[in-house]
Amino acid sequence: MSKNLAILSLFICFTFGAFARGSSPADTTRKAPTWAPKKGPYRPTRALKNDILHTQLEMRFDWLRQHALGSAIITFKPYFYPQSTLELDAKGLEIKGIFHLDTLARRDSTTGQMVREFISDPLEYTYDKRLLTIKLRRKYSRFDTLHVLIDYVAKPNELPDNLRGPKGDKGLYFINADGLDEGKPQQIWTQGETEYNSCWLPMVDSPNEKMTQDFRLTVENRFKTISNGKLISSTVNPDSTRTDRWVQKLPHAPYLAAFIVGNFAVEKETLPNGLELSYYVEPEYGPHAKAIFGRTKEMIAFFEEKFGVEYQWDKYAQVAVRDFVAGAMENTSITVHAENVQTDSRALLDGNSDNVIAHELMHHWFGNLVTCESWVHLPLNEAFANYSEYLWNEHKKGTEEADLWAQGELQQYLGEAEQKQEPLIRYHYTDSEDMFDSHSYAKGGRVLHMLRKYVGDEAFFTASRNYLIKYGFGTAEINDLREAFEEVTGEDLNWFFNQWFLSSGHANLKVEKTWANGKINLKINQLQDSTYTPIYRLPLKVDVWVNGQKKSHDIVVNQAKQTFEFPAPQPPDLVDFDVEKQILGEVDYEKSKAEWIFQYNNCDKYLARYEALTRLEGQMIDSTVRNLMMRAMSDKFWKIRQLAVSNFSEYDGLQFNEVERTLQSKARVDPHPRVRMEAIITLASFGDNTNDPLFREALNDSSYQVVSAALDAYLIGKPDDAADVAARFENAPNSEIITAVANYYAGLGKPEQYDWFIQKMNRLKAAEVYNFLQVFGKYLIRSNTQVQRRALPMLETTARNAPAYFVRFGAYQVLGLLTDIEGVKAMRKDIRNAERDPKLKEMYGQFADF
């Protein structure tokens, strides 16, 4: 499952950055830091009494009541010990009846022939709205296969709070059920992870169970259905409904069972081996479906070749739905995406959703084929899915693009680590939902990268292949992965798995370099708090540059304080520590200005060049630094060019004319849209109208991002044609451009533009609304009291009921700008107290008055 939304990256950085703290030496008498691991009860793998072999489901839907009417035949047998009951997870269902299904063979007294009769015997049961315990006719052994029919009604919206997940999770979701929300499609979709599919289907809702399934979904003929496996038949019924039968013949974990109902445009393509790929989007995005998902075909071939195991499932469908409660979900053979994956082909020039597409696809090997045996071992699923994003970027765009992605993942984890530091494998989590964090995802992916760097590519992918083959269609725990790598490498890897998977924290290194008497001394101190974090063993590379020549050295840092010596006949130009930039943690290594300049000019890694530029920021008065930064605006990698361009923001020093000409060129012809965008933003920071013609020219750029930046830059000066330009773009099909127009209108604060703001906000995707709300807040501040009061009901409804927690928080923030209005302070307090999402509750606790 993908959990991150890029729209929140800046906010998240602010949130966690506000609570930053440094590490300190171990002190057993002091109070535990807030980030120290929290020890809940031990979480064992669930004991299985009966093995669910197959589920046949017939389901139809009551849109008015938002109920699902189900009839499920559960095929099972005792696991090992004889059983007289069947226990199933069933949250909040209304049970209509339970029956034992069997056949009876008898001899017909008239014909003398053997006749088979179908038997349906009612069974007794007890049910506490969470666990359904069915009393079987007798005690059965592991050699018996049984069939139980359960008729029931699922009522997801009527689940009591104690049966919902911490975020109000309910497994089954009706979207715009009454059809009254104009512009929003009617849909039904499921979201089972972690254990919420039992809100709509009786099951053993645990990742260490595996089953096959046969789902028969009856819907109005105007809707399409999508579910796991293959569509076997589609039958029109006498009442003008249609029943679609989806059969999955290969076993998978219950949390991966899913179905979707809605009106979609569908694009399909077929791989050479006959595997069908299908892309379901809202009709308006139909022409762009292949542009959005079209690299999936190449991804499957790449992952099959890389890991040596073919894609195992019957098909691969991807579906975009409204109001999804996660970024995406890897249900077997059918990934569900949040609506923000949908975009037009022009927007794809600014960036695509390949990372999340690769992530969910990789789960069909790590997670769906081999499943973590309990949520304790979730990183076995999520770390590999996360690392697939690195692998895909590396393959498709090159190592520098992959390292840029990795840089973001490291920062995401380090931000979270300021609040909590837990082992990746958490036997003592408080709630299973706590596992879905930047530890399991971002840290997990970076740990796999270190493992790959240590054992080498061939061993890494061979061991991963062996793991998939050995545990395919089964489950695994962390020791199974370790043993797969040990069998290939012949090395005991407990040290690596203990420090990175089973211990909390990360490395915090202080590196100091001195040179004397023909020797370089490299002193390394591990500063992490050893009360909670290990002293790490860190195999890494060091490059020593002397007189422009490089010598590489392999070292192992494995002590709290350690010094390494390297020969050097003269003072080194540079000692490059951790050449691969792979260490999971923080490295404090001071260098001189000359060393940073040398590092940029001579080190080929993106992260080394990026670090050098960031350390040289604010030194433009130095001509050497200034000239380097000007050269960096033509670096081979776009992110370095963007960083260099941004460093000239508000610049008014020497060589200004040359700098401005270079920036103008970057704004017009740089091949990457983010560099063109950054150049426009930087030119606008000069605070004059000299570049207005360029900004107006950029309004015709192919990139939405560039046009958005150009609009902001042009309209801020309020030229004579500002109103006409804003009107030209106020109905653009892109949220960034709409937000730029909104920013201009916000500065005017005209009451007649209120309806425009509301209309646009109602049409934005959830991931786009947060930023727009901030601009809307600016508009309200400049508006009269009547307009502000008019906005209160909408803001309150959004802050209470918006499906996305960050949209609720954005509306809450805007209400904070209106606290001079009577009743708003009390309203905000009540909103905080009524919130159920633990993440948002924590944010309210930290920023109650923000």
Side-chain angles (χ1 to χ4, degrees):
M1 179 165 65
S2 176
K3 67 183 183 62
N4 299 313
L5 290 169
I7 194 74
L8 286 182
S9 59
L10 291 177
F11 172 73
I12 290 171
C13 288
F14 171 78
T15 300
F16 289 114
F19 294 90
R21 63 181 60 78
S23 299
S24 56
D27 179 359
T28 57
T29 64
R30 65 180 173 82
K31 182 180 178 181
T34 58
W35 50 258
K38 308 299 187 293
K39 192 169 184 178
Y42 176 71
R43 302 291 181 175
T45 299
R46 181 169 177 173
L48 300 178
K49 297 179 180 179
N50 292 287
D51 186 8
I52 307 301
L53 304 174
H54 182 74
T55 297
Q56 178 180 308
L57 172 68
E58 294 184 6
M59 182 165 277
R60 52 195 175 88
F61 306 96
D62 183 337
W63 287 85
L64 180 63
R65 295 179 177 84
Q66 300 188 45
H67 290 173
L69 289 67
S71 180
I73 299 175
I74 311 295
T75 301
F76 69 99
K77 64 180 182 179
Y79 231 93
F80 184 85
Y81 300 107
Q83 300 292 332
S84 59
T85 61
L86 170 64
E87 293 180 356
L88 297 173
D89 301 298
K91 298 184 179 74
L93 305 181
E94 178 186 344
I95 305 298
K96 295 291 190 179
I98 301 179
F99 308 89
H100 180 101
L101 302 184
D102 205 349
T103 56
L104 176 65
R106 66 176 179 83
R107 186 176 299 277
D108 187 276
S109 60
T110 303
T111 65
Q113 295 180 341
M114 294 299 296
V115 177
R116 289 187 176 275
E117 294 181 348
F118 180 75
I119 297 175
S120 176
D121 287 342
L123 294 175
E124 296 179 6
Y125 63 90
T126 59
Y127 183 41
D128 63 1
K129 293 297 183 180
R130 183 185 296 273
L131 186 67
L132 177 62
T133 304
I134 302 169
K135 183 179 179 181
L136 304 176
R137 293 189 299 182
R138 60 179 175 82
K139 185 172 284 190
Y140 294 90
S141 77
R142 66 184 184 275
F143 304 109
D144 295 309
T145 299
L146 297 94
H147 309 273
V148 168
L149 168 65
I150 306 171
D151 288 327
Y152 65 95
V153 179
K155 304 177 179 180
N157 291 349
E158 299 167 36
L159 285 171
D161 287 348
N162 67 325
L163 295 181
R164 292 176 179 241
K167 298 178 291 185
D169 311 85
K170 53 187 179 180
L172 176 64
Y173 298 79
F174 286 78
I175 306 302
N176 193 19
D178 57 14
L180 297 179
D181 193 344
E182 185 180 356
K184 177 176 283 191
Q186 289 182 287
Q187 296 175 347
I188 304 172
W189 45 261
T190 62
Q191 166 54 25
E193 194 174 39
T194 50
E195 297 173 4
Y196 305 114
N197 273 344
S198 51
C199 295
W200 56 270
L201 175 63
M203 58 170 54
V204 175
D205 206 353
S206 180
N208 61 329
E209 181 59 275
K210 296 260 178 163
M211 68 177 189
T212 58
Q213 65 188 52
D214 180 344
F215 284 5
R216 304 165 191 208
L217 307 172
T218 298
V219 297
E220 295 176 48
N221 209 26
R222 63 192 176 98
F223 290 123
K224 291 182 174 65
T225 70
I226 314 101
S227 189
N228 313 97
K230 279 190 174 182
L231 181 62
I232 300 301
S233 63
S234 187
T235 305
V236 177
N237 303 313
D239 62 356
S240 298
T241 62
R242 190 187 73 254
T243 300
D244 291 344
R245 183 184 179 195
W246 294 87
V247 175
Q248 176 156 305
K249 297 179 180 179
L250 297 173
H252 69 157
Y255 75 88
L256 296 167
F259 63 82
I260 300 95
V261 177
N263 179 25
F264 300 99
V266 188
E267 289 290 335
K268 297 184 178 182
E269 53 185 328
T270 305
L271 298 187
N273 64 359
L275 181 71
E276 179 186 276
L277 308 182
S278 53
Y279 317 128
Y280 293 76
V281 294
E282 292 174 34
E284 68 177 287
Y285 293 102
H288 311 290
K290 283 191 176 179
I292 296 167
F293 297 112
R295 274 97 35 220
T296 303
K297 184 176 182 179
E298 184 182 349
M299 288 180 187
I300 290 176
F302 169 65
F303 290 143
E304 286 181 332
E305 186 277 331
K306 204 72 174 172
F307 289 95
V309 175
E310 290 186 353
Y311 180 88
Q312 297 291 305
W313 309 100
D314 290 326
K315 69 164 189 309
Y316 190 51
Q318 296 180 81
V319 188
V321 302
R322 289 293 185 99
D323 297 343
F324 198 51
V325 291
M329 179 63 204
E330 68 277 8
N331 311 295
T332 307
S333 80
I334 173 171
T335 286
V336 177
H337 289 274
E339 64 184 291
N340 55 291
V341 75
Q342 300 176 126
T343 190
D344 61 44
S345 299
R346 182 179 173 188
L348 292 171
L349 298 174
D350 292 325
N352 56 40
S353 297
D354 276 13
N355 284 340
V356 69
I357 292 170
H359 181 112
E360 306 307 330
L361 175 61
M362 177 54 70
H363 271 307
H364 284 74
W365 286 267
F366 296 91
N368 300 13
L369 180 59
V370 179
T371 309
C372 61
E373 72 171 25
S374 74
W375 302 119
V376 164
H377 300 277
L378 179 69
L380 291 176
N381 296 6
E382 296 299 348
F384 274 99
N386 177 277
Y387 194 47
S388 75
E389 300 176 41
Y390 182 95
L391 295 173
W392 174 250
N393 278 292
E394 184 181 43
H395 166 74
K396 189 67 175 177
K397 299 179 181 178
T399 302
E400 294 199 318
E401 196 78 42
D403 286 344
L404 170 60
W405 174 89
Q407 180 185 34
E409 294 299 290
L410 175 61
Q411 293 308 312
Q412 182 174 307
Y413 160 71
L414 291 176
E416 183 174 87
E418 291 168 357
Q419 291 298 291
K420 70 174 186 179
Q421 294 182 20
E422 300 284 349
L424 285 182
I425 306 302
R426 279 168 261 181
Y427 289 98
H428 297 274
Y429 61 71
T430 303
D431 188 287
S432 60
E433 296 299 319
D434 296 340
M435 294 293 299
F436 293 81
D437 58 11
S438 292
H439 284 60
S440 293
Y441 290 73
K443 180 179 180 180
R446 303 317 303 137
V447 167
L448 289 179
H449 186 66
M450 287 190 294
L451 182 58
R452 176 188 173 192
K453 289 296 180 181
Y454 177 71
V455 303
D457 276 18
E458 185 176 3
F460 180 86
F461 292 107
T462 299
S464 300
R465 180 197 65 203
N466 293 350
Y467 167 82
L468 290 171
I469 293 171
K470 184 173 182 178
Y471 299 103
F473 301 107
T475 62
E477 62 174 37
I478 191 62
N479 287 331
D480 299 321
L481 183 68
R482 173 180 56 79
E483 289 174 1
F485 274 83
E486 290 180 340
E487 288 171 3
V488 168
T489 62
E491 179 181 343
D492 187 323
L493 291 172
N494 271 292
W495 66 270
F496 184 93
F497 281 76
N498 285 344
Q499 70 183 22
W500 290 120
F501 283 98
L502 300 175
S503 301
S504 62
H506 55 270
N508 187 345
L509 306 183
K510 173 71 174 178
V511 180
E512 297 174 297
K513 169 188 61 63
T514 58
W515 176 86
N517 302 321
K519 291 183 180 179
I520 297 168
N521 283 327
L522 196 65
K523 181 181 177 182
I524 303 167
N525 289 344
Q526 297 197 40
L527 302 180
Q528 63 271 10
D529 190 334
S530 59
T531 303
Y532 308 98
T533 307
I535 297 300
Y536 289 97
R537 177 183 174 186
L538 303 170
L540 51 86
K541 295 181 183 298
V542 173
D543 281 351
V544 175
W545 292 82
V546 178
N547 197 26
Q549 300 298 311
K550 179 182 73 175
K551 288 188 177 180
S552 297
H553 305 268
D554 292 316
I555 66 170
V556 177
V557 178
N558 57 11
Q559 300 172 28
K561 296 183 178 182
Q562 205 164 358
T563 300
F564 296 88
E565 286 189 355
F566 308 102
Q570 61 189 64
D573 305 310
L574 175 70
V575 176
D576 187 11
F577 178 79
D578 184 22
V579 174
E580 297 288 344
K581 309 304 177 194
Q582 53 142 338
I583 289 177
L584 177 70
E586 301 168 280
V587 178
D588 179 9
Y589 182 13
E590 291 298 325
K591 300 172 189 173
S592 67
K593 183 188 300 182
E595 287 174 313
W596 290 123
I597 292 172
F598 186 92
Q599 179 168 313
Y600 176 81
N601 288 329
N602 293 275
C603 293
D604 59 352
K605 295 287 184 183
Y606 152 71
L607 290 170
R609 303 201 311 283
Y610 181 92
E611 181 187 34
L613 285 191
T614 56
R615 292 302 188 97
L616 294 170
E617 288 177 349
Q619 302 182 46
M620 295 297 195
I621 195 171
D622 185 309
S623 62
T624 304
V625 173
R626 184 171 64 253
N627 288 328
L628 180 146
M629 207 68 72
M630 291 175 70
R631 284 192 293 107
M633 287 196 285
S634 298
D635 191 274
K636 62 182 180 179
F637 187 47
W638 69 267
K639 187 61 180 179
I640 297 294
R641 300 197 302 274
Q642 183 189 31
L643 175 62
V645 164
S646 70
N647 272 294
F648 286 99
S649 180
E650 300 183 358
Y651 182 72
D652 62 356
L654 296 173
Q655 298 178 278
F656 176 83
N657 290 336
E658 184 179 352
V659 168
E660 186 174 41
R661 284 194 300 271
T662 302
L663 289 170
Q664 290 167 344
S665 174
K666 293 285 116 183
R668 287 190 172 102
V669 301
D670 193 277
H672 202 285
R674 293 191 190 179
V675 179
R676 300 199 301 276
M677 177 189 70
E678 197 70 48
I680 288 171
I681 294 170
T682 301
L683 288 167
S685 75
F686 296 159
D688 57 37
N689 299 109
T690 304
N691 289 292
D692 278 2
L694 183 149
F695 300 151
R696 215 178 190 296
E697 175 188 335
L699 297 177
N700 298 312
D701 196 279
S702 59
S703 161
Y704 284 139
Q705 289 181 345
V706 174
V707 172
S708 173
L711 267 175
D712 273 330
Y714 187 68
L715 294 177
I716 197 171
K718 297 183 179 178
D720 293 340
D721 63 347
D724 292 337
V725 170
R728 171 186 164 192
F729 289 98
E730 66 176 11
N731 294 312
N734 176 264
S735 67
E736 291 176 279
I737 294 177
I738 291 298
T739 303
V741 174
N743 194 47
Y744 170 68
Y745 287 161
L748 302 178
K750 294 182 178 180
E752 59 268 26
Q753 286 163 339
Y754 176 85
D755 289 335
W756 180 88
F757 273 93
I758 299 303
Q759 179 191 45
K760 295 305 174 186
M761 199 176 327
N762 288 339
R763 293 182 177 275
L764 292 177
K765 301 168 187 172
E768 301 164 345
V769 172
Y770 180 84
N771 284 344
F772 193 85
L773 277 167
Q774 310 312 302
V775 179
F776 184 58
K778 176 182 172 182
Y779 167 76
L780 291 177
I781 289 175
R782 289 167 171 77
S783 298
N784 59 43
T785 304
Q786 183 179 359
V787 171
Q788 293 175 347
R789 290 185 180 276
R790 187 181 176 190
L792 289 180
M794 181 277 294
L795 290 170
E796 180 181 10
T797 299
T798 303
R800 292 185 186 276
N801 302 323
Y805 79 91
F806 51 87
V807 174
R808 299 199 297 276
F809 185 74
Y812 173 85
Q813 286 179 297
V814 177
L815 284 169
L817 303 174
L818 307 177
T819 52
D820 288 341
I821 299 176
E822 185 177 355
V824 172
K825 288 183 179 179
M827 180 193 298
R828 295 179 87 229
K829 182 178 180 180
D830 189 62
I831 289 169
R832 292 197 305 271
N833 292 337
E835 181 58 51
R836 291 187 300 184
D837 187 299
K839 184 181 297 185
L840 187 47
K841 287 174 69 174
E842 181 182 359
M843 290 161 62
Y844 282 148
Q846 295 169 353
F847 301 101
D849 298 319
F850 186 64

